[in-house]
Amino acid sequence: MSRAGAGGFSRRAFLGVLGGAGLGVAGCRATDEVAGQLLRSGARLPRPFTVPLPIPDVARPVSPGRYEVTQRVAAAEILPGLRTEVWGYDGTFPGPTFELRRGEPVTVSVRNELPVPTSTHLHGGVTPPGSDGYPTDLVMPAGLTPRPAHPGEVHHPLVKEYRYPVGQRAATLWYHDHRMDFTAPQVWRGLAGMALVRDEEEDALPLPRGERELPLMICDRAFEEDGSFRYPQPFDAPSPGHAPPSGHDAHGVSGANGVTGTDGGHGRHGPPGGWGRLGGDYMEGVEGDVILVNGAPWPVAEVTATRYRLRLLNASNARRYLLRLTPGGRFTQIGSDSGLLAAPVAHDEIPISPGERYDVVVDFSAYPVGTAVTLVNALAGGPAGNVMRFVVTRRAPDDSRVPAVLSRPPQRPRPVVTRLFDFRATDGAWTINGQRYRPGVPLARPRLGTAEVWRLTGDFRHPVHVHLAHFQVLARNGRPPAATDAGWKDTVDVRPYEVVDVLVRFDGHRGTYMLHCHNLEHEDMAMMADFEVI
């Protein structure tokens, strides 16, 4: 095996450098479990477990293999009695759930009626580069005069068609905005939803289905007194790159009931990423004090005493969760980010970082009828320590089960090279390998059909996401990975001063793709890098 990018360090020497280095972010410790600064709500918050769990609508094709969605401003009642302005796909938060089938390509036409540019990324999708949601490949709303702010920026007037081959295994995917410098505030406002890929292998399994299969998009938010989203003011100057449409302020924000803060570009400080220099209160990332599931605060769902399939997604900007069931219970994991596991794995708790998904089964027949089973977050106290509640209402027939063999995933290929990608603060900026993001300048050129070992390191908690390519976790600090690292993934939590080796498989398409930190504030502060599949 050849080596590239490791800078000549032996593994032992490199670990020694990590162990002796400083964090570069004031107040952070290597043992910290949180990855963001808490933003508290001004609104009066509801009592937990009083709002019913909503289930997002399923997207309907306008013709075979074709969908049309519109990004638009809408008002939603998230907190009871208050109205929140959301930016949503079809005006909903979350957006509609796309039910896709392997081998059946689809086209999704995205129309942008928001006051800002957007770029939609199908997270976990094996997608051609032109439809991957590259951060400078922008859909421009009507009336917004484009003035490119980044090299190679591409503008699509009003509508862009994203083409998805859907050639991959059954999996839980999701989609979200990916606009350069502004992913964090635009996702915070509501631009996210789920996409489920199904195939014949999954169809043949006797897993819970129908009403006993629940997509659960978990995220956190903070709210102003009037119910609008609260978010830090990240930018100190208007964008030099885009003139606002008529009727909007100089920052491109719609004004009333919107997110607190401006919608600028680079700011006066100049470096890529609108957040400017490190040192602000929220440079670690933003965490809200309200936990939402499918857009509802601490919801409650009535369940029968049967098995349920829970598709867990962490769609938070920065918050990590350690999910547990009280008064006790186990998760039977059947899938990870990129598809079914070979065999089920039981967990008492599940750590889930931003962007990760876990496909699990919970057997509610283990609880007496009338039991309230709470999904909690062991990493937080107070209100953020609760996620949602299930109430077991009655017994019911159940012909589902979790078989001992779930699937035959792709075999682990032999790597051809090892590369190092180091995520850390460098000279006042979040960087990869000491470099701020430079669109169109790849840090690696892997070959299609090959596999590589990517060694991921960092100084903080960085959930690392790789576009296009799926991977398996090989080791953490030279030791076997955790049981919750099982399966083929596209996002992995790299802890402070940790070395995580992943085996990355490059299949599907040639072209330019990205890896980046999925702490969305870090991403907006230029913690991204290109790679080109050749």
Side-chain angles (χ1 to χ4, degrees):
M1 182 190 305
S2 62
R3 293 186 175 271
F9 279 144
S10 70
R11 183 179 184 83
R12 178 176 298 177
F14 184 73
L15 287 170
V17 170
L18 287 179
L23 261 177
V25 180
C28 298
R29 300 186 312 274
T31 56
D32 282 348
E33 290 291 329
V34 297
Q37 180 68 32
L38 182 63
L39 183 65
R40 298 188 183 277
S41 294
R44 182 176 179 178
L45 304 179
R47 287 191 303 112
F49 322 129
T50 56
V51 177
L53 173 72
I55 302 298
D57 291 337
V58 174
R60 301 298 179 190
V62 296
S63 60
R66 180 177 178 81
Y67 296 84
E68 295 178 355
V69 296
T70 299
Q71 299 168 321
R72 58 183 176 85
V73 178
E77 185 174 326
I78 297 175
L79 302 181
L82 296 174
R83 305 297 283 177
T84 302
E85 180 185 281
V86 301
W87 292 2
Y89 293 89
D90 283 344
T92 65
F93 170 55
T97 299
F98 287 83
E99 290 268 3
L100 309 176
R101 286 202 66 84
R102 183 179 188 178
E104 297 182 7
V106 301
T107 296
V108 180
S109 176
V110 177
R111 180 183 180 89
N112 182 5
E113 295 184 357
L114 298 171
V116 296
T118 64
S119 179
T120 298
H121 170 55
L122 180 60
H123 184 124
V126 181
T127 303
S131 295
D132 189 55
Y134 194 73
T136 58
D137 186 16
L138 302 174
V139 184
M140 308 298 290
L144 193 67
T145 303
R147 294 197 300 269
H150 300 282
E153 195 168 289
V154 176
H155 298 148
H156 305 268
L158 197 59
V159 176
K160 176 178 170 64
E161 294 196 342
Y162 293 85
R163 293 178 171 84
Y164 303 124
V166 197
Q168 61 198 94
R169 303 169 61 231
T172 303
L173 311 183
W174 66 302
Y175 61 96
H176 57 82
D177 187 70
H178 208 260
R179 178 191 170 197
M180 181 82 171
D181 299 342
F182 301 101
T183 295
Q186 294 188 185
V187 171
W188 189 273
R189 281 175 161 169
L191 288 174
M194 297 183 75
L196 309 180
V197 179
R198 303 189 186 276
D199 63 13
E200 293 181 355
E201 183 179 50
E202 182 194 59
D203 292 344
L205 299 175
L207 298 172
R209 61 188 72 238
E211 293 182 351
R212 296 176 186 171
E213 180 183 16
L214 301 178
L216 301 177
M217 190 180 93
I218 304 169
C219 61
D220 56 344
R221 296 290 187 269
F223 295 85
E224 301 287 357
E225 291 184 4
D226 63 358
S228 59
F229 285 129
R230 171 176 284 184
Y231 191 78
Q233 181 173 328
F235 309 113
D236 55 9
S239 172
H242 305 291
S246 176
H248 297 277
D249 67 25
H251 307 297
V253 178
S254 59
N257 212 30
V259 174
T260 301
T262 60
D263 184 15
H266 301 302
R268 289 191 298 269
H269 298 307
W275 285 74
R277 297 182 185 275
L278 287 176
D281 291 339
Y282 295 92
M283 305 310 286
E284 297 174 10
V286 179
E287 295 187 358
D289 58 354
V290 179
I291 307 300
L292 305 178
V293 183
N294 294 348
W298 303 290
V300 58
E302 293 186 347
V303 296
T304 56
T306 57
R307 296 178 186 87
Y308 277 71
R309 181 179 184 177
L310 310 180
R311 293 181 180 260
L312 304 170
L313 159 66
N314 182 352
S316 298
N317 281 29
R319 183 182 289 277
R320 299 171 59 256
Y321 301 83
L322 183 60
L323 300 177
R324 294 175 183 165
L325 295 167
T326 63
R330 307 197 83 187
F331 304 96
T332 300
Q333 184 185 359
I334 60 173
S336 60
D337 297 340
S338 301
L340 294 168
L341 305 182
V345 181
H347 305 293
D348 294 323
E349 58 187 23
I350 291 177
I352 182 168
S353 64
E356 285 189 298
R357 288 89 68 209
Y358 283 87
D359 195 348
V360 303
V361 172
V362 173
D363 187 357
F364 289 104
S365 70
Y367 305 94
V369 171
T371 302
V373 183
T374 306
L375 183 65
V376 301
N377 172 27
L379 296 185
N386 290 314
V387 177
M388 67 170 293
R389 176 166 287 173
F390 304 92
V391 177
V392 183
T393 58
R394 60 183 176 85
R395 300 204 172 274
D398 187 6
D399 59 358
S400 71
R401 61 185 178 88
V402 179
V405 177
L406 294 167
S407 71
R408 289 179 170 79
Q411 292 185 345
R412 181 178 291 181
R414 182 183 298 274
V416 298
V417 69
T418 294
R419 304 182 194 269
L420 171 67
F421 294 97
D422 184 47
F423 292 72
R424 70 178 58 244
T426 305
D427 296 330
W430 291 118
T431 67
I432 300 177
N433 288 356
Q435 299 181 28
R436 299 166 177 165
Y437 180 51
R438 295 175 295 168
V441 181
L443 293 190
R445 287 188 169 89
R447 292 189 175 276
L448 186 69
T450 67
E452 300 182 357
V453 172
W454 284 8
R455 182 157 294 161
L456 310 174
T457 62
D459 59 353
F460 190 63
R461 286 195 173 271
H462 298 297
V464 176
H465 171 50
V466 181
H467 287 214
L468 175 78
H470 299 159
F471 57 77
Q472 289 188 332
V473 181
L474 300 178
R476 289 183 179 272
N477 285 339
R479 296 185 290 272
T484 48
D485 288 325
W488 286 94
K489 297 174 58 61
D490 56 57
T491 307
V492 63
D493 189 21
V494 180
R495 301 170 186 127
Y497 299 105
E498 185 177 42
V499 178
V500 179
D501 290 337
V502 299
L503 178 68
V504 191
R505 189 181 73 237
F506 302 95
D507 288 335
H509 307 279
R510 290 182 171 88
T512 298
Y513 295 91
M514 310 186 71
L515 72 155
H516 60 83
C517 178
H518 217 282
N519 179 319
L520 297 186
E521 282 75 34
H522 293 190
E523 177 180 340
D524 282 349
M525 289 182 271
M527 197 171 229
M528 303 187 288
D530 285 353
F531 65 91
E532 182 184 6
V533 181
I534 59 175

